Amino acid sequence: MTKFRISESGKRIITVDTMVNGKGPFNFVVDTGASHTVISNQTAEKLGLYESSTGCCESATRSAQGAGGLVAARATTVESVKVGDIEAKNVEVALVDLTSLSKAWDGIIGYTFMKDYKVVIDYPRQEISFEKA
């Protein structure tokens, strides 16, 4: 079980502390409808994901469909993404500028993290669990 926060914005957005490649914690939104786990460009810089050694810079910028329309995205794979005691290895992520959505979000937990888990959200306790399917 991992404790989550619900944003005060009235949109009732769930956020969780997330570690990426052993660094963090970062503030990630949980989005069960997102096809990819997303890392903001600013967080990617903090993690050094723009260095050529990661292969990130060699991937082409593509358009991705977000809730607000098309956005520029770069695809890469990170060694690990960890929420609570659940850690997924070799996670495909999209690097996206999230500042138009919120400057408080460092990323989004999406399908590429959740695909191997049954996700249970307990609103009264403000807990989320990721159970092996």
Side-chain angles (χ1 to χ4, degrees):
M1 290 286 179
T2 298
K3 285 290 199 183
F4 67 79
R5 298 170 299 281
I6 298 177
S7 69
E8 302 292 325
S9 68
K11 294 182 181 177
R12 306 291 182 223
I13 296 169
I14 295 173
T15 61
V16 291
D17 288 335
T18 303
M19 304 292 286
V20 178
N21 293 345
K23 297 178 183 174
F26 299 103
N27 187 37
F28 276 49
V29 172
V30 176
D31 185 347
T32 59
S35 63
H36 279 78
T37 296
V38 173
I39 297 175
S40 74
N41 289 340
Q42 295 77 11
T43 303
E45 257 183 70
K46 290 177 190 173
L47 292 166
L49 295 180
Y50 287 119
E51 297 170 7
S52 59
S53 62
T54 65
C56 174
C57 293
E58 296 156 14
S59 66
T61 299
R62 306 177 202 158
S63 292
Q65 181 67 44
L70 289 177
V71 295
R74 286 178 99 65
T76 193
T77 300
V78 295
E79 291 176 24
S80 67
V81 176
K82 185 174 182 182
V83 177
D85 57 352
I86 299 298
E87 184 173 27
K89 299 283 191 179
N90 300 313
V91 179
E92 186 179 328
V93 300
L95 307 180
V96 176
D97 182 2
L98 295 177
T99 55
S100 63
L101 294 174
S102 173
K103 292 182 182 179
W105 301 345
D106 298 311
I108 298 170
I109 296 293
Y111 173 78
T112 56
F113 176 86
M114 294 186 279
K115 65 184 170 126
D116 295 324
Y117 301 99
K118 176 173 83 171
V119 180
V120 178
I121 299 171
D122 183 339
Y123 280 98
R125 290 192 175 129
Q126 285 193 274
E127 293 177 338
I128 188 169
S129 63
F130 300 92
E131 301 167 9
K132 271 290 187 192

